[in-house]
Amino acid sequence: EEPENANIAAKQLILVTAGISTLLMAVSLVGNHGILDGIFGKVETDVAQNAYTYFFWSAWSYPFIALYNAGAALFRAMGNSRVSMLVSLLMNVLNIAGNALLIFVAGLGVAGAAIASLISRFIGAVIILFLLRFQHHTIHLDSLIHLEFKPRMIRNILMIGIPTGLENGM
């Protein structure tokens, strides 16, 4: 019922999502071997190398999948789940086609699978953020350049978002 506040909250969601996912990406890139070794312990060298490779490339996609999910949540909040479904469908088709191309044609193996996911997530994030720029939507992003930091609003978003994210993660 407050479109102006909804738009400000949408910007805060994008800002916090980009920030947290970029931090998680950095931690995953720096701690790649340590994280995987801590989770899986001692595994065969080939398995470990493939896991390190996949984790490395998939970590680069964290900000993109997070931004896609934030944008999809905004469209669902507006009662328009069709947009997020269509963008998700496109991402999955691109991922499958990319897997076939990068694994079997380019011969990149596990790196090809991860790179296909990275590319499809990047494209999905770009599309959903682009669609949120249209001002005819109840919630829209008038600018992605001028994202003003509002700690109180971010705290309120996180009070809802963290438990929801943990629930979905389970």
Side-chain angles (χ1 to χ4, degrees):
E1 300 299 320
E2 299 178 30
E4 187 61 35
N5 278 335
N7 293 332
I8 293 169
K11 283 184 172 183
Q12 297 306 294
L13 175 64
I14 297 300
L15 183 66
V16 76
T17 299
I20 291 172
S21 61
T22 300
L23 178 64
L24 290 172
M25 176 192 72
V27 168
S28 297
L29 290 170
V30 170
N32 182 327
H33 290 235
I35 292 168
L36 291 176
D37 292 345
I39 292 172
F40 297 112
K42 194 88 170 132
V43 295
E44 290 183 33
T45 305
D46 288 347
V47 173
Q49 288 305 317
N50 282 329
Y52 300 146
T53 299
Y54 190 86
F55 192 42
F56 171 81
W57 285 107
S58 67
W60 284 102
S61 75
Y62 295 171
F64 305 121
I65 193 65
L67 288 170
Y68 161 77
N69 282 328
L74 291 171
F75 274 105
R76 285 191 298 274
M78 290 185 276
N80 188 348
S81 59
R82 183 174 187 270
V83 168
S84 56
M85 180 196 66
L86 291 174
V87 176
S88 177
L89 179 65
L90 174 66
M91 287 170 47
N92 284 298
V93 167
L94 289 172
N95 191 23
I96 292 167
N99 282 332
L101 183 68
L102 295 177
I103 294 170
F104 300 114
V105 177
L108 294 177
V110 74
I115 293 168
S117 294
L118 167 61
I119 292 168
S120 67
R121 290 172 175 181
F122 171 79
I123 291 170
V126 168
I127 290 171
I128 204 110
L129 292 175
F130 173 77
L131 294 174
L132 281 167
R133 300 266 297 130
F134 290 106
Q135 297 202 3
H136 69 272
H137 296 301
T138 308
I139 301 172
H140 60 273
L141 304 171
D142 56 0
S143 171
L144 291 174
I145 296 170
H146 300 99
L147 295 176
E148 194 177 328
F149 184 70
K150 297 192 177 284
R152 189 172 174 186
M153 188 174 279
I154 288 176
R155 184 179 59 81
N156 291 338
I157 290 169
L158 292 176
M159 296 282 288
I160 296 168
I162 289 175
T164 303
L166 290 173
E167 177 186 349
N168 288 333
M170 304 243 178

